[in-house]
Structures are given as structure tokens and as C-alpha cells.
Amino acid sequence: MKLHSATFAALFITALAFFAPSIHAQSASFTQQPAATLGVLGGTADFSFSVQVPLAFANLGVVAYKTGVSSPVSDRFAFVSQSVGNNLTNSGNFTTGSYTIRISNLTAADVGSYYFTVSVNGFAYPGSTSQPADLVLGSAAAPVITVQPLSQNVAGFVSSAINLSVSATGNPSPNYQWYKNGTAIGGATSSTYTAAVLATGPDAGAYYVVVSNSAGSVTSSTAIVNVNVGGGPTIVLQPASLGVVTGQSATFSVTLASTLFTPSYVWLFNNNPIPGATSSSYSVTSASAASAGAYSVLIYNTFGSVTSSAATLSVTASAAPNITSQPTSTTVDSGTSLTLRVTASGASTPTYQWSKNGTAIVGANSSALSFSSVQPSDAADYSVLVSNLAGSVRSSTATVTVNVPNPARIINMSILSPLAAGETMTLGTVLGPAGTTTKPLLVRAGGPGLGALGYPDVIPDPLLKFFNGAGVTVGINDNWGGTASLTQAFNQVGAFAFPALSKDAAIYSPTLAAGSYTLQVSDAGGASGNVIAEIYDSTPSSAFTNSTPRLVNVSVLKQVPALTSLTAGFVIGGVGTKQVLIRAVGPGLVPLGVSGAMADPTLSLYGAPSNSLVQSNDNWNSSIAAIFTQVGAFALPAGSKDAAILATLAPGSYTAQVTGSAGGLVLVEVYEVP
């Protein structure tokens, strides 16, 4: 009905209250004030409130007002519910009225603040006017479920009950409809659903609720309710997970222990009931991507129920996976993080198996391979095998290079040896690896500078010639001249000083490309005497990583008189250890067309500071022949009397001493082993 405006009351509601001969209080009070409400255009808005008045037998009237409007606006309202009751207190008899009134077909003009007055037999007591409550128009919003109904196990006794609830937001306020096993439950139209369990298994089921308003609807997740009083079904064989290709069939089944009471079945897909699936097995006749998911079955009889475990159906396309994004090669610093990734397409989720240098990595079975702190041992070639039911495909190889700050390496080689009159001593070096950036190198030939340190019988005027692998001259120096740039280069690598006006020779090349180089050392006047020839890596340690060009090989070719020795010194610098290959080649030179080679060299390796013997070799062992190929050294004849040592060395100074009873031409080589 509509509320009609009047001077004191627009509507009279007769309320029969407990009669009291006297009135002990002369004021009214709102025990529940109207609250602000939100509506949408064309929708409804409700105001609810309760008022207590001091009269046992009274006619209660309600008038609605809008703030800022002098006349009542009761015509916009209609009753939704109303109640009048008695409340006997110690202070006397009071009549309480509770009301819910509604504005329908909301328009923008309805926005505002509303308050309500209550009269008793036409008289308004003090306190009979409510507080104002705002009406606000908002946008329509489809329901959103904030709390889902929960699965539960219920004991099957008379006092037991199924209690399900859902919480949802929406504008206008949403409506509710509960379902059991896919069928609407009559009268179950609130946010909660309660049903007494009368010791019967059929109360078990798959329950969900559809929440809707004028803006849309949403279906809750399914709550599985199991009811047991003893004697219910028992599963002895659960449904098994399956994987099929698109178009194939898949059948799930369940096996029960023997029972006297015939069971009923409700198959579920992702916890939702499947219409008509009511036997002990369920078949997907032609699987598609939409068929993939979890299948389970709810089973009940008169005395209880049980729900199976979920079996997963995987459905893949008939084609093998296709890799759309390959893992990429990368260079990283030691200690940093790294992730290699692959992306593959396909109708089903593929599986992954990463490999390192062709060997499967245990547990590396996702689309990404991550390293929290890369170590030098992680430097390798990586690939991943991507598979599904229809086949597999291997990714391209991603090479991971790990930069190690200041790694162990060869930083210097020196040869201290006598030169015969007119003799030329040849040193060689290789800067690598190929394709890296340029490198600074210092080469020296010392005679007078060596004599200034007290070494006897030095050549008076060393001459130094420096060539690249193509025979092109890099530099020639007779007298170093005491220049500031060369002095600075000496100091940087820790080389001993040359006298300022000495006739020693030195060449500093700041930007040498990767490749092979040759040094020729002689006396400019053809004199004989002792000479020291040196090659220095001039890259500062602070700027060195394992990707920096380095001395991957240093060597000397020298005539050694009978009953004498040739000593080649080299220095390992940096942090960690370095494996090196050292060779003394005599017979191995003969197939290369070299005559006068030492017939049977013996090689001994000594380490500083105590100059103790590290290792020695007379005739090389064929077990290290593969290392020759690895470092790029030429092969030695099988069974030859050449000498070779493979050693892992800590940073420090080392000398390789070559002796041969018959003397002759010998090649001494030092290679770093990657």
C-alpha cells in the first residue's frame, strides 16, 4: 500500500498491545535507525527501522520526509513488511513497531536524505523522529561471490543438518537459487541452505547456488556433501587419470566393495554434476580440449555416501609440440642469477626435460631453467626436450658462458738462454679465444738490463722483431730508448727495470687482435751471450674475466747444446687453479721437416717459491693425446720420445726445464687447457 501524508500521520497501523493503566515514560525511541541505502535507476530502495512508544494500546502512524522538502513524501513509499508487538519492561508497557518500506522505480530525483516520524494516536512523543538516512544511486553490478560454499561430511543422525552458505556482492542486491545434483531445490532462495539429515544417504549430493540480479548471474563452486550412518558404500578401486589425443574416447570407472544396499552414482566434472551420468562408469566419447579436467563420482545408498578421488583427463592435439621461442645463448658473470626459457604451443600442457651437454638434468622439468647463483661449472650447452602424447621436439642449443673475475691464467713466459754468435731464438704465442676483443701485450729482449742485475756474459745489443701469424711485422725494436710509455708498461706487469739508456729491446702493443704471433730475438751485431726473452699479458687483473683475451699458448724454439738445458719460465696469475699442458718436442719436429731435432728430450716442471719438482716426463703417454686436439697442438708421432706433462697449477711462478744428452733443436710449449 502507499503511505499518505497528513498533518500528524499518513497511515495508521492498529496495534493491540498489552493494556497498562498507567504510562511510566513519556518519550519514544528508535531501537533501530534507518540506514543509508544504495539503489540503481529503475530499481528499488528499502529503509528498515524499529521504534518503541510508551503506550500499551496505541495507533501507530508513520510519515516519511525528505530533507529540504517541507511536505511529507510518503506517496513514494510502500510497505514491504510491518510488525507491532509488546515489550514488557520494568518501567512499564511499551509498544514496538518494526517497519521496512520501499521506493520503487527509482529516478535521479529520489536521491537525497530521508527521515521518518512515528505518532501514537495522532500524538508525536519526544524522540519520535528518526535520524536521516541517505539514498544513493549507483551503477548496476553483476553479483560477485566473495565466500564460496564449503564441502562437508555430515553424520547421518536426526540431529544432524546440512548447513551451506554463500556470500556475494552486487547491485541491486542479488537473489539466490540452490541446486542439488544439478536440480533446483524448491524454496531454497536465500544465501544459506539448511536441511535436516534424517539418517539417510540420499541427502548426500553436489550442491551449488546461482546468484543473480538484473545485471547478471554467477554460479558458485560445488560443495560436496557426504552423509554417513554406517554401512554406506566403500570404494576399493578409484578412477584412474587418463591422457588421450583429441577425438579419442576415455572411460572412468569406480569399483565398490560388496554391499547389500544398491548404490546410486552422480559423476562430477570439475566438481559439477554431469547430467545423466549415474552409473558406475562414465565415458567421454570424443575428447576435446573442453573435456580436459577432473572427474570424480559421488556414491550413496540408504546408509551413507562417499566421494571418489579426482581423476585427471588430459587431452592433446594430434600434432607434436611446436617451439615458438627458443632458449638463447648468453654470457653472465659468476655469482649472478640466470634463467633459460622455452615457449611451446600445443593443445595440452607439454612436459619438459632440460639437458646439460647432452645429459638430462634431474628435476629440470619446467619451461624455465633457473640458476640463483651461476658458477663456472654451469658453463655448458643447454637444450630442452618438449613432449606431449603425440610426440616431442628438442630445442636449439643455448650456450652459457660464465665470466669469472680475475680467473687463473698464463700471464707471462720468459726464456733465459745463451745465444751463439749470429743465432736467432724464436718465441711464439697465441692470443685467444678467436673473435674476442683486442689485448695489450708487452714483449722484451734483455741483455744489458740483465747484466745490470749481475748476470754474466750477456749479449750487448738485443734486437727484437715481432710478427703476426701472416708474417706481417707488428714491430721492430733495437734500443728501447727509456720512453715513459714503456716504463709505465714495465711497471704495470711487474717486469724488472731496464737502465734508461741501455740497448735492451721492448715493444708494447696495446691493441693486438686474437691470433698467433712470433718473436725473433738476436743480437744486432751478431754477438754471442746470454739473453732473456719475455712475453707479458698487460691486461690489469681488475679488468680480467674469463671472456677476456689471454695467452692460450706460449712457446720457444731453441737449439740446446749437448749436456746443457733450456729453461722456460711462466707465471700463472689470477684466482683459482689452471690446468696446463707442457710439451718438449724433439722427434715430433722431424715429420714437420725440421732437421737437427733433439732425439730424446726430458721435461721437468718446478714450482716456486721452493723450486720443488712438481712433475717430470721422459716419453709422453698416449692417454693425453685427446688434450693435444683440445688445445690445438699438433699431434705427436705414436711412441715418439717427445715429453709432455698435464698439470693443474695454482697461481705462482713455474719453470719447465728441458734436457737432452745429445742436444739439438727443441720446441717447448705451454698451453692452457679450457
Side-chain angles (χ1 to χ4, degrees), residues 228-386:
N228 285 288
V229 295
T234 300
I235 297 174
V236 296
L237 185 61
Q238 298 280 355
S241 295
L242 299 172
V244 296
V245 174
T246 301
Q248 288 183 335
S249 62
T251 298
F252 299 97
S253 61
V254 65
T255 302
L256 303 180
S258 177
T259 177
L260 296 176
F261 305 98
T262 303
S264 297
Y265 301 85
V266 178
W267 281 90
L268 310 171
F269 174 56
N270 292 336
N271 256 9
N272 297 311
I274 303 171
T278 57
S279 68
S280 61
S281 64
Y282 174 71
S283 295
V284 178
T285 56
S286 181
S288 66
S291 307
Y295 291 80
S296 57
V297 58
L298 172 67
I299 311 162
Y300 60 90
N301 63 18
T302 302
F303 291 98
S305 66
V306 65
T307 302
S308 75
S309 59
T312 300
L313 177 62
S314 300
V315 182
T316 186
S318 57
N322 177 44
I323 295 178
T324 56
S325 177
Q326 299 280 358
T328 56
S329 297
T330 186
T331 298
V332 295
D333 291 335
S334 177
T336 59
S337 61
L338 169 66
T339 299
L340 300 176
R341 300 182 186 277
V342 68
T343 304
S345 62
S348 65
T349 302
T351 61
Y352 304 88
Q353 178 58 66
W354 287 87
S355 295
K356 175 183 179 181
N357 293 334
T359 301
I361 304 172
V362 176
N365 304 119
S366 71
S367 60
L369 180 63
S370 296
F371 304 81
S372 59
S373 179
V374 176
Q375 300 302 310
S377 59
D378 295 320
D381 290 334
Y382 294 88
S383 63
V384 57
L385 184 68
V386 186

Side-chain angles (χ1 to χ4, degrees), residues 411-431:
I411 61 173
N412 159 248
M413 182 178 188
S414 60
I415 305 296
L416 178 60
S417 177
L419 286 182
E423 182 185 3
T424 297
M425 179 171 61
T426 301
L427 284 76
T429 187
V430 177
L431 305 183

Side-chain angles (χ1 to χ4, degrees), residues 187-205:
T189 56
S190 71
S191 60
T192 61
Y193 174 70
T194 301
V197 175
L198 303 176
T200 174
D203 284 317

Side-chain angles (χ1 to χ4, degrees), residues 388-653:
N388 64 14
L389 293 174
S392 61
V393 60
R394 182 167 291 280
S395 73
S396 58
T397 297
T399 299
V400 173
T401 302
V402 181
N403 281 333
V404 180
N406 195 24
R409 63 200 182 276
I410 302 170
I411 61 173
N412 159 248
M413 182 178 188
S414 60
I415 305 296
L416 178 60
S417 177
L419 286 182
E423 182 185 3
T424 297
M425 179 171 61
T426 301
L427 284 76
T429 187
V430 177
L431 305 183
T436 54
T437 56
T438 59
K439 180 169 198 63
L441 203 68
L442 172 67
V443 295
R444 307 198 314 173
L450 191 62
L453 298 177
Y455 204 87
D457 301 325
V458 297
I459 60 173
D461 189 6
L463 175 64
L464 180 62
K465 296 180 181 180
F466 193 19
F467 306 95
N468 66 17
V472 177
T473 301
V474 175
I476 297 177
N477 183 256
D478 185 4
N479 302 323
W480 76 287
T483 65
S485 60
L486 282 173
T487 299
Q488 181 180 358
F490 296 176
N491 292 334
Q492 182 175 324
V493 299
F496 68 88
F498 285 164
L501 300 178
S502 73
K503 291 187 176 183
D504 300 291
I507 298 172
Y508 176 68
S509 298
T511 55
L512 285 180
S516 59
Y517 294 87
T518 301
L519 287 79
Q520 293 181 353
V521 178
S522 61
D523 184 83
S528 63
N530 292 307
V531 67
I532 186 169
E534 302 171 298
I535 302 173
Y536 289 95
D537 182 338
S538 296
T539 301
S541 294
S542 60
F544 211 101
T545 71
N546 67 336
S547 64
T548 304
R550 56 197 183 274
L551 299 174
V552 297
N553 162 240
V554 286
S555 61
V556 59
L557 180 64
K558 180 71 175 64
Q559 183 73 34
V560 179
L563 302 178
T564 64
S565 63
L566 173 66
T567 299
F570 64 93
V571 177
I572 302 294
V575 177
T577 59
K578 191 66 191 175
Q579 189 176 48
V580 296
L581 171 68
I582 309 168
R583 306 201 306 180
V585 183
L589 296 176
V590 175
L592 302 179
V594 177
S595 59
M598 183 180 290
D600 188 7
T602 297
L603 175 63
S604 298
L605 176 64
Y606 298 88
S610 61
N611 201 34
S612 58
L613 179 66
V614 175
Q615 196 177 143
S616 64
N617 179 257
D618 185 6
N619 301 325
W620 70 286
N621 193 312
S622 60
S623 63
I624 63 172
I627 301 297
F628 300 172
T629 303
Q630 184 178 346
V631 301
F634 62 86
L636 297 179
S640 73
K641 293 187 176 183
D642 301 291
I645 291 173
L646 182 65
T648 299
L649 304 177
S653 299

Side-chain angles (χ1 to χ4, degrees), residues 51-354:
V51 64
Q52 190 179 78
V53 296
L55 200 62
F57 187 80
N59 291 320
L60 302 183
V62 177
V63 183
Y65 290 90
K66 185 178 182 182
T67 301
V69 179
S70 59
S71 300
V73 291
S74 301
D75 285 342
R76 285 294 287 134
F77 287 89
F79 280 108
V80 176
S81 65
Q82 52 188 311
S83 66
V84 177
N86 296 329
N87 182 18
L88 183 62
T89 70
N90 291 332
S91 58
N93 292 316
F94 292 86
T95 297
T96 301
S98 297
Y99 306 94
T100 298
I101 56 178
R102 173 178 294 168
I103 300 178
S104 300
N105 300 317
L106 289 171
T107 68
D110 291 316
V111 173
S113 183
Y114 292 84
Y115 62 94
F116 306 93
T117 64
V118 176
S119 62
V120 181
N121 295 331
F123 177 78
Y125 283 97
S128 60
T129 299
S130 75
Q131 295 177 358
D134 293 334
L135 170 60
V136 179
L137 292 182
S139 301
V144 174
I145 295 176
T146 57
V147 178
Q148 298 282 356
L150 300 177
S151 296
Q152 55 194 257
N153 294 315
V154 179
F157 299 102
V158 174
S159 60
S160 300
I162 298 170
N163 292 296
L164 300 171
S165 64
V166 68
S167 295
T169 60
N171 194 25
S173 297
N175 301 310
Y176 303 87
Q177 176 59 62
W178 288 89
Y179 289 79
K180 174 189 174 185
N181 296 338
T183 301
I185 304 171
T189 56
S190 71
S191 60
T192 61
Y193 174 70
T194 301
V197 175
L198 303 176
T200 174
D203 284 317
Y207 291 82
Y208 61 88
V209 59
V210 176
V211 187
S212 61
N213 64 11
S214 59
S217 65
V218 62
T219 300
S220 75
S221 59
T222 300
I224 303 300
V225 175
N226 285 312
V227 179
N228 285 288
V229 295
T234 300
I235 297 174
V236 296
L237 185 61
Q238 298 280 355
S241 295
L242 299 172
V244 296
V245 174
T246 301
Q248 288 183 335
S249 62
T251 298
F252 299 97
S253 61
V254 65
T255 302
L256 303 180
S258 177
T259 177
L260 296 176
F261 305 98
T262 303
S264 297
Y265 301 85
V266 178
W267 281 90
L268 310 171
F269 174 56
N270 292 336
N271 256 9
N272 297 311
I274 303 171
T278 57
S279 68
S280 61
S281 64
Y282 174 71
S283 295
V284 178
T285 56
S286 181
S288 66
S291 307
Y295 291 80
S296 57
V297 58
L298 172 67
I299 311 162
Y300 60 90
N301 63 18
T302 302
F303 291 98
S305 66
V306 65
T307 302
S308 75
S309 59
T312 300
L313 177 62
S314 300
V315 182
T316 186
S318 57
N322 177 44
I323 295 178
T324 56
S325 177
Q326 299 280 358
T328 56
S329 297
T330 186
T331 298
V332 295
D333 291 335
S334 177
T336 59
S337 61
L338 169 66
T339 299
L340 300 176
R341 300 182 186 277
V342 68
T343 304
S345 62
S348 65
T349 302
T351 61
Y352 304 88
Q353 178 58 66
W354 287 87

